[in-house]
Amino acid sequence: MDSYFDIIVAGGGPAGLTAAIYARRAGRSVLVLEKEGFGGQIASAPKVENFPGLPAISGAELADRLYGQAEALGARIELEQVLEIRDGRPWTVTTDYGTYRCAAVILATGMRRRTLGLPGEERLPGVSFCAVCDGAFYAGKDVAVCGGGNTALQDALFLADLCRHVTLIHRRQAFRGDPILAEALARRENVSFALDTVVTALLGQERLTGLALRDAAGRERTLAVDGLFEAVGQLPERALSASLVAVDAAGFIRAGEDCRTGVPGIFAAGDCRTKEVRQLTTACADGAVAALSACRWCEAAGAD
Ligand code: NAP
């Protein structure tokens, strides 16, 4: 099987798949490598309502459509984890399954989830990081969502349709997420808010039975719940980028609006790039820009 591609895209989220669509339409051979699941974070969004032209679509369906569009255009797409990128002219990309070479690499590696850092959170049944994936297990039960961004607000709305009661726990009064979502939540009878409040401990031995909470005034209480959905944001994926390209203090790849990193032939697109606004639309925009920059690079480098 051919192991040389004009462009290899590391990451199969909206930025990476959009890059593949643009690069294929420009006639370039493209390999997309994704380590976990196609669609990135958006695949677990219950509903996407801010993608222009698609007033309401599930994140999973949008991810499927992006994947299908890239594949139909002839992009090769593999579920493989990129372990190393080295050499340049051509770049050698090593994954857990093999080795590929390419003229240009687009890093579209997105973000990984932030956690609360509480003892037991990665192993205690009842703690989840994905409402769409796990919400059905909590039908008719009492759950809490922790976080104040759009993910937490959307997860709480999604769970309010399934669960007996949802408590949204946020460390501040003001939400970071869109007011339209917070207002929709406030109208739900089975949703309550624990604001200015943090989770200090997970309760339960075999599985989660409740949460220890502390508010801004220092008052402590427990909340009985069957499930906790953590939605406290994302951190940049540093594993690949740290040794390859310049990153900022938080770990985001330094690249301008043309998505060029300081390393010739390496481009960065989507949430992993330094930028002001991280949204689905800006990830897709980056994918397009990075692909066109990479195509120009291939042309200049004489890749045919
Ligand atoms: P986010 O916007 O960064 O929000 C993370 C939330 O978690 C914040 O409210 C933050 O509190 C809270 N938090 C962080 N660390 C915490 C800790 N240690 N303990 C307690 N709370 C903590 O993350 P996100 O909601 O995952 O969204 C990420 C990006 O995706 C955003 O740009 C968002 O708009 C976008 N998104 C868009 C959609 C959509 O509808 N298209 C859906 C989901 C996400 P503070 O507010 O106090 O910092």
Side-chain angles (χ1 to χ4, degrees), residues 146-225:
C146 185
N150 278 326
T151 303
L153 299 178
Q154 282 199 335
D155 284 359
L157 274 172
F158 175 77
L159 291 165
D161 286 337
L162 291 172
C163 301
R164 188 169 64 176
H165 190 85
V166 179
T167 305
L168 181 63
I169 302 164
H170 179 38
R171 64 184 179 183
R172 294 188 295 135
Q173 280 283 335
F175 292 113
R176 187 174 292 272
D178 296 344
I180 193 171
L181 294 173
E183 285 156 17
L185 266 180
R187 288 194 294 272
R188 296 297 184 100
E189 287 189 349
N190 64 338
V191 173
S192 57
F193 297 90
L195 302 180
D196 275 338
T197 297
V198 295
V199 181
T200 55
L202 305 173
L203 308 178
Q205 296 299 321
E206 301 299 315
R207 61 166 298 113
L208 186 75
T209 56
L211 306 171
L213 304 180
R214 187 176 58 234
D215 70 16
R219 286 182 296 255
E220 314 245 0
R221 67 176 170 114
T222 60
L223 176 71
V225 288

Side-chain angles (χ1 to χ4, degrees), residues 23-45:
R24 281 301 302 142
R25 286 173 57 85
R28 292 290 165 185
S29 57
V30 178
L31 170 65
V32 180
L33 297 166
E34 163 61 44
K35 70 171 179 183
E36 267 170 4
F38 297 99
Q41 295 170 60
I42 204 66
S44 51

Side-chain angles (χ1 to χ4, degrees), residues 275-299:
K275 52 159 71 179
E276 286 294 316
V277 180
R278 290 192 172 80
Q279 291 287 309
L280 183 55
T281 43
T282 60
C284 292
D286 267 16
V289 173
L292 297 176
S293 289
C295 288
R296 277 195 292 277
W297 166 261
C298 289
E299 204 174 322

